[in-house]
């Protein structure tokens, strides 16, 4: 592991490994909350409750209390209808804050507080283009748009601090570190922008679209339409190409100290060990294509094209 606390890394790894024991893994299906494709999901860090979110083409965001899986009515604690377009992205500030952001086809970004367990709206901004992806850093929101740019919104000043126009087609995914911003788009480009020098550092044209990019020291992880994961270092030197076994596009990917998880158009979600020589711990076959996936603390979540939201958890961890 790189620059992380060993106890936390061990806890996350062991929690993720619990999903490999299929007989002990319980599946929970939420099928009545949305009536359109589920485009984005997020398992939140919350001090009091286990909470998750889902956003859909039906223009709604659903809030789930994961302590109430046995009752679908109790599990869905809130449905938000603030947006007037498809919900494309959800994120939590710095991974641990009570602040949540949503981005939509209606060109609006909404900021919420989840502190009391429901979505309490704080503010909104219009960016004059559909928002397709976000990365919510401390006091800074990075977002990628249909109008081909990556922008940074300063939460404290309430102004757009910068706009990067490094793509020729819509931006699909964005990741960041203190020194770099990475983005991928429908133009098949994978881009690295140096924040310190404020300039384009590298632009690679991939063979297929890179649908999902994640950064966790020291590697950039890239899931693509070819079904492979590619690993790069900070300045985008290619290090490893990993065959996931998917033969259709990877639509989304989650990566943490605990696991690497892929969701594919082939209707399979796979859980791997979180290293550059991954071991397949388990795979889950769905009734429809998986469009998004998330993982945290032993809970796996997937959003599907049939409007359902699925959860898996080892029942021995409850």
């Amino acid at each position: 592991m790189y620059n992380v606390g060993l106890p936390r890394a061990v806890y996350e790894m062991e929690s993720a490994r619990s999903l490999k024991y299929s007989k002990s893994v319980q599946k929970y299906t939420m099928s009545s909350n949305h009536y359109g494709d589920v485009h984005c999901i997020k398992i939140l860090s919350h001090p009091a409750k286990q909470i998750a979110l889902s956003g859909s083409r039906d223009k709604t965001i659903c809030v789930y209390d994961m302590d109430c899986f046995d009752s679908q009515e109790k599990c869905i604690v809130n449905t938000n209808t603030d947006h007037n377009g498809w919900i494309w992205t959800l994120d939590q500030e710095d991974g641990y804050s009570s602040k949540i952001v949503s981005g939509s086809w209606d060109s609006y970004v909404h900021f919420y507080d989840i502190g009391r367990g429901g979505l309490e709206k704080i503010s909104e901004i219009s960016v004059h283009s559909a928002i397709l992806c976000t990365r919510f850093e401390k006091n800074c929101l990075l977002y990628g748009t249909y109008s081909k740019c990556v922008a940074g919104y300063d939460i404290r000043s309430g102004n757009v601090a910068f706009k990067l126009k490094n793509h020729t087609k819509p931006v699909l995914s964005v990741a960041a570190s203190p020194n770099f911003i990475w983005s991928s788009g429908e133009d098949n480009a994978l881009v690295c922008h140096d924040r310190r020098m404020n300039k384009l550092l590298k632009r690679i044209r991939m063979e297929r679209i890179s649908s999902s990019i994640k950064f966790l020291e020291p590697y950039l992880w890239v899931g693509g339409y070819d079904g492979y994961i590619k690993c790069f270092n900070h300045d985008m030197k290619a290090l490893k190409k990993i065959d996931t076994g998917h033969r259709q596009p990877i639509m989304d990917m989650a990566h943490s100290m605990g696991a690497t998880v892929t969701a594919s158009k082939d209707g399979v979600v796979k859980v791997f060990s979180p290293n550059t020589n991954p071991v397949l711990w388990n795979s889950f076959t769905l009734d429809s294509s998986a469009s998004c996936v998330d993982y945290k603390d032993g809970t796996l979540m997937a959003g599907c094209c049939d409007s359902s939201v699925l959860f898996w958890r080892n029942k021995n961890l409850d």
Side-chain angles (χ1 to χ4, degrees):
M1 292 295 176
Y2 184 92
N3 195 28
V4 297
L6 183 59
R8 180 65 186 176
V10 172
Y11 167 77
E12 290 203 18
M13 182 82 75
E14 290 306 308
S15 296
R17 280 170 59 88
S18 70
L19 292 171
K20 69 186 290 187
Y21 306 107
S22 297
K23 291 182 179 180
S24 299
V25 174
Q26 183 71 44
K27 178 183 176 183
Y28 304 92
T29 302
M30 305 294 153
S31 57
S32 62
N33 43 314
H34 291 296
Y35 60 85
D37 295 13
V38 179
H39 280 307
C40 52
I41 55 177
K42 189 70 178 177
I43 301 175
L44 305 181
S45 295
H46 190 277
K49 295 183 177 181
Q50 297 187 81
I51 295 176
L53 307 175
S54 63
S56 168
R57 285 195 183 195
D58 63 11
K59 310 176 187 178
T60 66
I61 301 170
C62 285
V63 183
Y64 305 87
D65 183 345
M66 296 191 295
D67 292 322
C68 300
F69 274 146
D70 291 333
S71 171
Q72 181 161 297
E73 290 183 0
K74 292 181 180 179
C75 184
I76 302 172
V77 297
N78 183 252
T79 300
N80 181 282
T81 58
D82 288 339
H83 282 290
N84 292 314
W86 299 350
I87 314 295
W88 279 101
T89 178
L90 294 162
D91 204 4
Q92 181 176 21
E93 184 186 35
D94 213 27
Y96 295 96
S97 167
S98 64
K99 294 179 182 177
I100 307 299
V101 69
S102 62
S104 169
W105 193 258
D106 64 7
S107 302
Y108 277 87
V109 173
H110 290 177
F111 296 93
Y112 298 95
D113 191 286
I114 197 76
R116 298 180 182 177
L119 290 178
E120 297 181 8
K121 190 172 178 180
I122 301 171
S123 62
E124 65 180 44
I125 59 171
S126 173
V127 303
H128 309 294
S129 178
I131 299 99
L132 304 184
C133 55
T134 52
R135 172 70 177 92
F136 200 0
E137 301 178 306
K138 181 71 173 177
N139 295 320
C140 180
L141 173 67
L142 302 174
Y143 58 88
T145 70
Y146 186 79
S147 59
K148 313 166 194 175
C149 78
V150 174
Y153 178 77
D154 189 309
I155 306 298
R156 292 163 295 187
S157 68
N159 296 314
V160 175
F162 59 84
K163 283 188 177 181
L164 310 177
K165 297 184 178 180
N166 295 322
H167 290 277
T168 59
K169 289 186 178 181
V171 179
L172 298 178
S173 189
V174 63
S177 74
N179 296 329
F180 302 99
I181 297 172
W182 299 274
S183 58
S184 64
E186 288 186 2
D187 55 4
N188 288 23
L190 183 63
V191 171
C192 179
H193 184 89
D194 192 310
R195 303 177 88 159
R196 299 161 298 181
M197 296 185 287
N198 191 28
K199 73 172 189 178
L200 175 65
L201 185 65
K202 196 168 186 179
R203 190 177 193 273
I204 301 174
R205 181 171 176 81
M206 309 292 280
E207 292 183 7
R208 301 286 300 277
I209 288 174
S210 300
S211 52
S212 181
I213 58 176
K214 309 292 180 184
F215 178 74
L216 181 65
E217 287 281 9
Y219 303 126
L220 179 71
W221 298 73
V222 180
Y225 273 25
D226 58 1
Y228 285 80
I229 295 173
K230 292 93 172 177
C231 292
F232 297 83
N233 65 7
H234 293 79
D235 59 1
M236 293 199 354
K237 177 182 178 182
L239 301 175
K240 190 73 179 287
K241 184 177 180 179
I242 300 168
D243 186 354
T244 63
H246 291 299
R247 291 298 174 259
Q248 292 195 46
I250 292 175
M251 305 307 294
D252 194 20
M253 177 178 63
H255 179 70
S256 68
M257 289 184 288
T260 301
V261 184
T262 56
S264 173
K265 200 172 182 178
D266 61 14
V268 178
V269 171
K270 297 190 176 187
V271 183
F272 298 90
S273 60
N275 48 46
T276 54
N277 294 295
V279 175
L280 177 64
W281 284 339
N282 210 337
S283 62
F284 302 93
T285 301
L286 316 183
D287 293 331
S288 78
S289 296
S291 52
C292 49
V293 70
D294 199 13
Y295 167 82
K296 187 182 290 291
D297 295 341
T299 299
L300 176 63
M301 181 181 184
C304 302
C305 294
D306 65 359
S307 77
S308 64
V309 176
L310 309 176
F311 296 88
W312 295 265
R313 180 185 285 171
N314 189 311
K315 57 189 176 184
N316 294 328
L317 295 181
D318 291 338

